Amino acid sequence: MIDKLEFFLALARERHFGRAAEECGVTQPTLSAAIRQLEEQLGVILVNRGSRFQGLTPEGQRVLEWARRIVSDSRTMREEMRAARKGLSGHMRLAAVPTTLSMVPLITAPFQEKHPDVTFSVLSTTSLQILALLENLEIDAGLTYLENEPLGRVTSVPLQIEQYHLVTAAGTALSDRESVTWKEVSDIRLCLLTADMQNRRIINQHFAEAGAVPKPTLESNSMIVLFSHVRTGRWASIMPYNVAKSFGFHEDIRMVPIVDPDVRHTVGLVATYREPFTPLVSALLHEARILGERNQVQ
């Protein structure tokens, strides 16, 4: 049953029998047969079929919720037993919005020092995608904003408070100021994150509060791309102070606080709410709380 539910979860994610079979490491006929056996066991049709996958039935949607719970519990049980035998080990899958990527090693480095048999993969993505990946059991935890948009049923640990700065090359407009307003920043050549990023939605909101509309001439989902363009002297950007500082600026770059309004936003670690947590997620949350206490955002 657990294996069949795993196949069903993969099909719900991929919405394609062939891709789901490839993800699960089986042939398409094997996966299709397992789904049909699951339907026979439960006595309901789970998948609308035609020449291709056409979506889940209402019963399939309900079984999907149960499958996530059951598979998650099964993985937790296996992980606890592995930890009991061998200590903490395994692989952790993290996702982070671009403005939090510089914080990831502040958690992973001390974590791996304590638990050297744990490996990590880190994905850079949007806040909405992080919540979807958590729901589908595709990641173990994410780093994202905690206050601006609904998070759903998650456990969250505040890590840091963002304060926005104009990041610009020395000798350019506004670079010699002690502070600048959102209205003033809207009038210069900007490079910003793309509109699907929550950071951009927050920035747009503060521009609107100041009665201004930004007109960026370059957009990217990568902070590295934005910083690279700032260094040319032809663009300026808006970044949280801690993110900008992580690039190791030299004298040729200025960071100027943006005021009127002077705003703060909290970012943190999120994981699907459940009891008990897997040993790996529990240890990760513990490491996150240590970082949050050090940054005094608890």
Side-chain angles (χ1 to χ4, degrees), residues 11-56:
L11 180 61
R13 284 194 300 268
E14 296 294 335
R15 302 183 64 81
H16 187 279
F17 280 93
R19 290 196 299 269
E22 184 178 354
E23 179 186 325
C24 295
V26 299
T27 64
Q28 184 171 330
T30 298
L31 183 135
S32 297
I35 299 297
R36 290 195 181 277
Q37 290 168 11
L38 183 61
E39 291 175 324
E40 292 171 3
Q41 286 180 271
L42 297 176
V44 294
I45 300 299
L46 303 177
V47 179
N48 291 316
R49 297 174 178 84
S51 58
R52 62 185 65 185
F53 178 86
Q54 296 180 348
L56 301 181

Side-chain angles (χ1 to χ4, degrees), residues 58-244:
E59 294 81 5
Q61 291 289 350
R62 186 66 183 128
V63 169
L64 179 61
E65 296 177 19
W66 280 105
R68 287 168 175 159
R69 298 183 201 176
I70 293 168
V71 169
S72 179
D73 284 343
S74 172
R75 292 178 182 178
T76 300
M77 178 183 67
R78 290 197 297 266
E79 191 176 304
E80 282 198 3
M81 296 305 100
R82 185 176 67 240
R85 295 193 314 271
K86 302 179 180 179
L88 211 57
S89 62
H91 184 74
M92 292 215 71
R93 303 157 301 167
L94 306 181
V97 296
T99 57
T100 65
L101 286 170
S102 63
M103 298 172 55
V104 174
L106 302 180
I107 298 175
T108 55
F111 185 101
Q112 200 167 57
E113 185 175 348
K114 296 173 185 175
H115 311 290
D117 293 329
V118 176
T119 59
F120 290 92
S121 57
V122 181
L123 171 69
S124 175
T125 188
T126 68
S127 57
L128 294 177
Q129 185 64 11
I130 286 173
L131 298 181
L133 292 169
L134 282 173
E135 184 179 39
N136 290 327
L137 309 181
E138 294 179 81
I139 59 172
D140 301 294
L143 281 81
T144 187
Y145 292 90
L146 301 186
E147 301 167 338
N148 305 286
E149 296 177 357
L151 290 174
R153 190 173 170 79
V154 300
T155 295
S156 62
V157 179
L159 296 176
Q160 203 164 72
I161 296 176
E162 287 190 346
Q163 178 185 10
Y164 292 107
H165 281 60
L166 173 68
V167 182
T168 188
T172 57
L174 307 178
S175 65
D176 60 347
R177 297 277 295 276
E178 293 296 321
S179 65
V180 293
T181 68
W182 289 90
K183 178 69 173 174
E184 290 172 319
V185 171
S186 69
D187 293 328
I188 64 176
R189 184 194 295 263
L190 291 172
C191 56
L192 299 174
L193 286 174
T194 49
D196 59 333
M197 295 292 175
Q198 189 173 170
N199 169 269
R200 176 64 182 279
R201 295 195 290 274
I202 291 171
I203 286 173
N204 286 349
Q205 173 191 334
H206 295 317
F207 274 121
E209 291 167 355
V213 178
K215 301 179 183 65
T217 59
L218 185 142
E219 297 176 319
S220 175
N221 62 0
S222 166
M223 300 300 290
I224 292 291
V225 170
L226 298 185
F227 174 61
S228 298
H229 282 79
V230 168
R231 295 205 68 172
T232 68
R234 293 184 56 81
W235 283 268
S237 189
I238 299 170
M239 299 182 185
Y241 175 78
N242 291 297
V243 175

